[in-house]
Structure formats: C-alpha cells, structure tokens
Amino acid sequence: KANRKFHPDDTVITLSNGTKIGDGSLTLMAGPCSVESAEQVTEIAKAVKASGANVLRGGAFKPRTSPYSFQGLKAEGLELLLKAKEETGLPIVTEIMSESDIDLFKDVDIIQVGARNMQNFTLLKKLGKLDKPILLKRGLCATIEEWLMSAEYIMAEGNEKVILCERGIRTYEKYTRNTLDLSAIPIVKSLSHLPVVVDPSHATGMNWLVEPLAMAAVACGADGLIIEVHNDPPHALCDGAQSLTPEEFDSVVKKVNRIKSAL
Ligand code: PEP
Ligand code: MN
C-alpha cells in the first residue's frame, strides 16, 4: 500500500486548519521537545505560529533513555497541548508510547510513533485501525526497507494517512547525536507516495546545526520539517541543547522558505 509502483499519486494529508502535507508545500511543525507547563507551551505555540509554523509539536509521553529523567506530563501534557491548539488554532502532533493510551489521543491531530517504537508492531496495528494521520519516525538503526514495512503495518489495517519522518540514524560518527540520512528523502519519495518530513533537531542534537540541515532537507525534497523550539533552552526539561529559541526558529523559517521557493 505504501509502494509508489501501485499508487503513483502523492498522498496528501489535510489537517484541521487546512494545512496540507504532501501537496508540494512546505509544512512546518515546531514546538518544545516536552510540554512542561501551560505558560511554556502556549508561549512557544504563539511564537512559532507567528513565524509561520502550521503544526504544534510537543511531547507528553517521553521515551527517555534513563528512567530517572523527566518522563513527560502524560495525560496532563495532552490537555495542555489541546489548550494551546484551542488558543492558536494550530493542529498538534504528539508521541504515543503504548497502545493502552490510544483513547487519550482522540483529539490529537497527528499521532507520532517515535524512533524507539518504529517496530512495535502491536502498536502499529492498533494505529492502523484509526482514521487519523500517523507520523512514523525512522528507527534508530532501521533500513529504509524496514521503515517502509512499518508504514505498511499501519496501512494494511486500513489507515493510509502515514507521514514518514527521517530523524537521523545511528552511525559510528559521535560528533552529532545521529547522522541525518539526506539521501533517504529522494529515495523514499521515489519508492513511496507518502509524504516525508525531516527532523533536524534529533538528527543533530545541536541547535546550530538545525538551520543548515533544515535547508539541506528542503533542497532534497522534504515535504516538511519538525523542529524543537523552546522559550528557555538552557532550562528545558528535555533536549535543550538542540532546541532553537523562537527568534532562531524565525530565521530558519525565512531561510527554508527561500530555498523552497527557489526549487
Ligand atoms: C521526539 O520527537 O521528541 C523524539 C523522542 O524523537 P525520536 O523518536 O526521533 O527520538
Ligand atoms: Mn526531543
């Protein structure tokens, strides 16, 4: 179902605010790694919207490497995201970690499957029963074929609204958090009709690398970007080092839009 050979036309996904993903425009998803408070998420949402973001991101259920790190505000975090959506009109994308939480996500616009759950086939099958867009991140060590097969798991159950997200893969290079596989963008777009968005934040782990890799991703044909933005990065409860300030995000938006219009 994900194969372009049998479905030549690009999949276009339409969200509540009219944003279309995969129609040739550039979708900008931005927001904090984790929802921390009502003030934090609303302030960031307003700022990224003013810069041109069309979707608000924010984690409520956080897949942290250490069990002693901040695990997210969970259901309360989802409530705060929905409040920010109400205030700004921005649709929201947020990560699900367990199929037992599915009911909590009924008002979420796009459900994110994180890199660590890309091959959680039980979860993928459950999400395949929904009529809701799913942002499927590439696994830490997943090949393109494995990633597309995970999309197939969701689509085989009936939900064909899948957005693929390249977020960097693990290589021997330790300077960056992951290695952004730019070649995956044109490859996946030739193999599949599904939209591809790129996450330069988790791909690099460093705020100053987000801008050049965001520009490169757009030049390579990405349908959108998902970028971490925080109003106080040094004090962020998660991923502060890779988070942009709202001002830095504004500058990235201007640059990627210039690249996009030059294509
Ligand atoms: C995230 O988006 O905050 C996240 C945890 O991403 P990934 O699954 O790509 O590591
Ligand atoms: Mn993060």
Side-chain angles (χ1 to χ4, degrees), residues 2-21:
N3 196 326
R4 198 184 274 284
K5 228 191 283 174
F6 308 112
H7 308 272
D9 293 343
D10 285 340
T11 286
V12 177
I13 291 167
T14 306
L15 304 178
S16 60
N17 66 343
T19 292
K20 289 190 192 302
I21 308 173

PDB file of all heavy atoms in Angstrom, residues 2-21:
ATOM      1  N   ALA A   2       2.074   1.169   0.537  1.00  0.00           N
ATOM      2  CA  ALA A   2       2.951   2.341   0.574  1.00  0.00           C
ATOM      3  C   ALA A   2       3.760   2.487  -0.716  1.00  0.00           C
ATOM      4  O   ALA A   2       4.425   3.491  -0.916  1.00  0.00           O
ATOM      5  CB  ALA A   2       3.905   2.236   1.765  1.00  0.00           C
ATOM      6  N   ASN A   3       3.688   1.478  -1.582  1.00  0.00           N
ATOM      7  CA  ASN A   3       4.555   1.413  -2.763  1.00  0.00           C
ATOM      8  C   ASN A   3       4.044   2.298  -3.910  1.00  0.00           C
ATOM      9  O   ASN A   3       2.892   2.179  -4.331  1.00  0.00           O
ATOM     10  CB  ASN A   3       4.609  -0.053  -3.225  1.00  0.00           C
ATOM     11  CG  ASN A   3       5.758  -0.301  -4.177  1.00  0.00           C
ATOM     12  OD1 ASN A   3       6.125   0.562  -4.975  1.00  0.00           O
ATOM     13  ND2 ASN A   3       6.327  -1.488  -4.098  1.00  0.00           N
ATOM     14  N   ARG A   4       4.930   3.146  -4.423  1.00  0.00           N
ATOM     15  CA  ARG A   4       4.523   4.043  -5.498  1.00  0.00           C
ATOM     16  C   ARG A   4       4.202   3.297  -6.793  1.00  0.00           C
ATOM     17  O   ARG A   4       3.419   3.794  -7.612  1.00  0.00           O
ATOM     18  CB  ARG A   4       5.619   5.099  -5.740  1.00  0.00           C
ATOM     19  CG  ARG A   4       5.095   6.289  -6.515  1.00  0.00           C
ATOM     20  CD  ARG A   4       6.164   7.281  -6.844  1.00  0.00           C
ATOM     21  NE  ARG A   4       6.453   8.287  -5.832  1.00  0.00           N
ATOM     22  CZ  ARG A   4       5.688   9.346  -5.586  1.00  0.00           C
ATOM     23  NH1 ARG A   4       4.550   9.515  -6.204  1.00  0.00           N
ATOM     24  NH2 ARG A   4       6.074  10.238  -4.690  1.00  0.00           N
ATOM     25  N   LYS A   5       4.779   2.104  -6.921  1.00  0.00           N
ATOM     26  CA  LYS A   5       4.533   1.320  -8.133  1.00  0.00           C
ATOM     27  C   LYS A   5       3.033   1.074  -8.335  1.00  0.00           C
ATOM     28  O   LYS A   5       2.523   1.092  -9.441  1.00  0.00           O
ATOM     29  CB  LYS A   5       5.257  -0.027  -8.006  1.00  0.00           C
ATOM     30  CG  LYS A   5       6.082  -0.396  -9.243  1.00  0.00           C
ATOM     31  CD  LYS A   5       6.565  -1.843  -9.194  1.00  0.00           C
ATOM     32  CE  LYS A   5       7.734  -2.059  -8.265  1.00  0.00           C
ATOM     33  NZ  LYS A   5       8.129  -3.454  -8.105  1.00  0.00           N
ATOM     34  N   PHE A   6       2.324   0.832  -7.226  1.00  0.00           N
ATOM     35  CA  PHE A   6       0.899   0.516  -7.329  1.00  0.00           C
ATOM     36  C   PHE A   6       0.007   1.730  -7.064  1.00  0.00           C
ATOM     37  O   PHE A   6      -1.196   1.676  -7.285  1.00  0.00           O
ATOM     38  CB  PHE A   6       0.553  -0.615  -6.344  1.00  0.00           C
ATOM     39  CG  PHE A   6       1.463  -1.800  -6.495  1.00  0.00           C
ATOM     40  CD1 PHE A   6       2.368  -2.135  -5.495  1.00  0.00           C
ATOM     41  CD2 PHE A   6       1.448  -2.544  -7.664  1.00  0.00           C
ATOM     42  CE1 PHE A   6       3.221  -3.221  -5.647  1.00  0.00           C
ATOM     43  CE2 PHE A   6       2.303  -3.628  -7.829  1.00  0.00           C
ATOM     44  CZ  PHE A   6       3.197  -3.970  -6.826  1.00  0.00           C
ATOM     45  N   HIS A   7       0.616   2.802  -6.525  1.00  0.00           N
ATOM     46  CA  HIS A   7      -0.145   4.022  -6.198  1.00  0.00           C
ATOM     47  C   HIS A   7       0.695   5.221  -6.627  1.00  0.00           C
ATOM     48  O   HIS A   7       1.380   5.827  -5.805  1.00  0.00           O
ATOM     49  CB  HIS A   7      -0.432   4.106  -4.695  1.00  0.00           C
ATOM     50  CG  HIS A   7      -1.066   2.868  -4.139  1.00  0.00           C
ATOM     51  ND1 HIS A   7      -2.415   2.674  -4.116  1.00  0.00           N
ATOM     52  CD2 HIS A   7      -0.519   1.740  -3.614  1.00  0.00           C
ATOM     53  CE1 HIS A   7      -2.692   1.482  -3.592  1.00  0.00           C
ATOM     54  NE2 HIS A   7      -1.547   0.895  -3.276  1.00  0.00           N
ATOM     55  N   PRO A   8       0.696   5.564  -7.899  1.00  0.00           N
ATOM     56  CA  PRO A   8       1.614   6.592  -8.407  1.00  0.00           C
ATOM     57  C   PRO A   8       1.375   8.001  -7.836  1.00  0.00           C
ATOM     58  O   PRO A   8       2.325   8.777  -7.743  1.00  0.00           O
ATOM     59  CB  PRO A   8       1.403   6.560  -9.924  1.00  0.00           C
ATOM     60  CG  PRO A   8       0.199   5.730 -10.172  1.00  0.00           C
ATOM     61  CD  PRO A   8      -0.064   4.907  -8.970  1.00  0.00           C
ATOM     62  N   ASP A   9       0.125   8.317  -7.451  1.00  0.00           N
ATOM     63  CA  ASP A   9      -0.153   9.689  -6.999  1.00  0.00           C
ATOM     64  C   ASP A   9       0.316   9.937  -5.568  1.00  0.00           C
ATOM     65  O   ASP A   9       0.125   9.097  -4.682  1.00  0.00           O
ATOM     66  CB  ASP A   9      -1.656   9.987  -7.072  1.00  0.00           C
ATOM     67  CG  ASP A   9      -2.147  10.005  -8.514  1.00  0.00           C
ATOM     68  OD1 ASP A   9      -1.296  10.120  -9.422  1.00  0.00           O
ATOM     69  OD2 ASP A   9      -3.370   9.881  -8.717  1.00  0.00           O
ATOM     70  N   ASP A  10       0.893  11.124  -5.331  1.00  0.00           N
ATOM     71  CA  ASP A  10       1.331  11.511  -3.988  1.00  0.00           C
ATOM     72  C   ASP A  10       0.161  11.506  -3.012  1.00  0.00           C
ATOM     73  O   ASP A  10      -0.920  12.008  -3.326  1.00  0.00           O
ATOM     74  CB  ASP A  10       1.909  12.941  -4.006  1.00  0.00           C
ATOM     75  CG  ASP A  10       3.292  12.981  -4.627  1.00  0.00           C
ATOM     76  OD1 ASP A  10       3.971  11.939  -4.698  1.00  0.00           O
ATOM     77  OD2 ASP A  10       3.702  14.080  -5.042  1.00  0.00           O
ATOM     78  N   THR A  11       0.382  10.983  -1.815  1.00  0.00           N
ATOM     79  CA  THR A  11      -0.625  11.085  -0.754  1.00  0.00           C
ATOM     80  C   THR A  11      -0.591  12.506  -0.196  1.00  0.00           C
ATOM     81  O   THR A  11       0.478  13.028   0.101  1.00  0.00           O
ATOM     82  CB  THR A  11      -0.303  10.086   0.380  1.00  0.00           C
ATOM     83  OG1 THR A  11      -0.635   8.783  -0.087  1.00  0.00           O
ATOM     84  CG2 THR A  11      -1.097  10.364   1.647  1.00  0.00           C
ATOM     85  N   VAL A  12      -1.772  13.117  -0.073  1.00  0.00           N
ATOM     86  CA  VAL A  12      -1.872  14.448   0.526  1.00  0.00           C
ATOM     87  C   VAL A  12      -2.750  14.327   1.762  1.00  0.00           C
ATOM     88  O   VAL A  12      -3.843  13.766   1.706  1.00  0.00           O
ATOM     89  CB  VAL A  12      -2.472  15.479  -0.467  1.00  0.00           C
ATOM     90  CG1 VAL A  12      -2.624  16.831   0.192  1.00  0.00           C
ATOM     91  CG2 VAL A  12      -1.609  15.590  -1.728  1.00  0.00           C
ATOM     92  N   ILE A  13      -2.244  14.813   2.892  1.00  0.00           N
ATOM     93  CA  ILE A  13      -2.978  14.725   4.157  1.00  0.00           C
ATOM     94  C   ILE A  13      -3.418  16.119   4.565  1.00  0.00           C
ATOM     95  O   ILE A  13      -2.607  17.048   4.605  1.00  0.00           O
ATOM     96  CB  ILE A  13      -2.090  14.059   5.226  1.00  0.00           C
ATOM     97  CG1 ILE A  13      -1.907  12.569   4.859  1.00  0.00           C
ATOM     98  CG2 ILE A  13      -2.676  14.217   6.635  1.00  0.00           C
ATOM     99  CD1 ILE A  13      -0.842  11.852   5.620  1.00  0.00           C
ATOM    100  N   THR A  14      -4.731  16.285   4.839  1.00  0.00           N
ATOM    101  CA  THR A  14      -5.270  17.601   5.190  1.00  0.00           C
ATOM    102  C   THR A  14      -5.599  17.644   6.678  1.00  0.00           C
ATOM    103  O   THR A  14      -6.256  16.746   7.205  1.00  0.00           O
ATOM    104  CB  THR A  14      -6.537  17.904   4.362  1.00  0.00           C
ATOM    105  OG1 THR A  14      -6.202  17.743   2.974  1.00  0.00           O
ATOM    106  CG2 THR A  14      -7.025  19.324   4.585  1.00  0.00           C
ATOM    107  N   LEU A  15      -5.145  18.704   7.369  1.00  0.00           N
ATOM    108  CA  LEU A  15      -5.369  18.844   8.814  1.00  0.00           C
ATOM    109  C   LEU A  15      -6.491  19.850   9.105  1.00  0.00           C
ATOM    110  O   LEU A  15      -6.972  20.541   8.191  1.00  0.00           O
ATOM    111  CB  LEU A  15      -4.076  19.302   9.496  1.00  0.00           C
ATOM    112  CG  LEU A  15      -2.857  18.419   9.259  1.00  0.00           C
ATOM    113  CD1 LEU A  15      -1.641  19.008   9.958  1.00  0.00           C
ATOM    114  CD2 LEU A  15      -3.115  16.992   9.757  1.00  0.00           C
ATOM    115  N   SER A  16      -6.842  19.947  10.403  1.00  0.00           N
ATOM    116  CA  SER A  16      -7.998  20.755  10.815  1.00  0.00           C
ATOM    117  C   SER A  16      -7.898  22.226  10.420  1.00  0.00           C
ATOM    118  O   SER A  16      -8.907  22.874  10.181  1.00  0.00           O
ATOM    119  CB  SER A  16      -8.182  20.641  12.331  1.00  0.00           C
ATOM    120  OG  SER A  16      -7.010  21.111  12.988  1.00  0.00           O
ATOM    121  N   ASN A  17      -6.687  22.784  10.337  1.00  0.00           N
ATOM    122  CA  ASN A  17      -6.572  24.203   9.975  1.00  0.00           C
ATOM    123  C   ASN A  17      -6.372  24.391   8.475  1.00  0.00           C
ATOM    124  O   ASN A  17      -5.992  25.474   8.031  1.00  0.00           O
ATOM    125  CB  ASN A  17      -5.420  24.872  10.752  1.00  0.00           C
ATOM    126  CG  ASN A  17      -4.055  24.322  10.360  1.00  0.00           C
ATOM    127  OD1 ASN A  17      -3.949  23.250   9.764  1.00  0.00           O
ATOM    128  ND2 ASN A  17      -3.009  25.049  10.695  1.00  0.00           N
ATOM    129  N   GLY A  18      -6.605  23.325   7.710  1.00  0.00           N
ATOM    130  CA  GLY A  18      -6.484  23.426   6.261  1.00  0.00           C
ATOM    131  C   GLY A  18      -5.080  23.124   5.754  1.00  0.00           C
ATOM    132  O   GLY A  18      -4.864  23.025   4.551  1.00  0.00           O
ATOM    133  N   THR A  19      -4.119  22.953   6.669  1.00  0.00           N
ATOM    134  CA  THR A  19      -2.749  22.613   6.271  1.00  0.00           C
ATOM    135  C   THR A  19      -2.757  21.310   5.490  1.00  0.00           C
ATOM    136  O   THR A  19      -3.369  20.332   5.917  1.00  0.00           O
ATOM    137  CB  THR A  19      -1.874  22.431   7.530  1.00  0.00           C
ATOM    138  OG1 THR A  19      -1.730  23.690   8.160  1.00  0.00           O
ATOM    139  CG2 THR A  19      -0.484  21.887   7.184  1.00  0.00           C
ATOM    140  N   LYS A  20      -2.065  21.331   4.351  1.00  0.00           N
ATOM    141  CA  LYS A  20      -1.935  20.098   3.565  1.00  0.00           C
ATOM    142  C   LYS A  20      -0.490  19.627   3.622  1.00  0.00           C
ATOM    143  O   LYS A  20       0.431  20.420   3.444  1.00  0.00           O
ATOM    144  CB  LYS A  20      -2.354  20.354   2.114  1.00  0.00           C
ATOM    145  CG  LYS A  20      -3.863  20.560   1.953  1.00  0.00           C
ATOM    146  CD  LYS A  20      -4.241  20.560   0.484  1.00  0.00           C
ATOM    147  CE  LYS A  20      -5.655  21.036   0.231  1.00  0.00           C
ATOM    148  NZ  LYS A  20      -6.708  20.291   0.890  1.00  0.00           N
ATOM    149  N   ILE A  21      -0.312  18.336   3.860  1.00  0.00           N
ATOM    150  CA  ILE A  21       1.033  17.758   3.914  1.00  0.00           C
ATOM    151  C   ILE A  21       1.198  16.853   2.703  1.00  0.00           C
ATOM    152  O   ILE A  21       0.401  15.929   2.510  1.00  0.00           O
ATOM    153  CB  ILE A  21       1.251  16.957   5.224  1.00  0.00           C
ATOM    154  CG1 ILE A  21       0.887  17.829   6.432  1.00  0.00           C
ATOM    155  CG2 ILE A  21       2.697  16.457   5.327  1.00  0.00           C
ATOM    156  CD1 ILE A  21       0.907  17.093   7.752  1.00  0.00           C
TER     157      ILE A  21
END
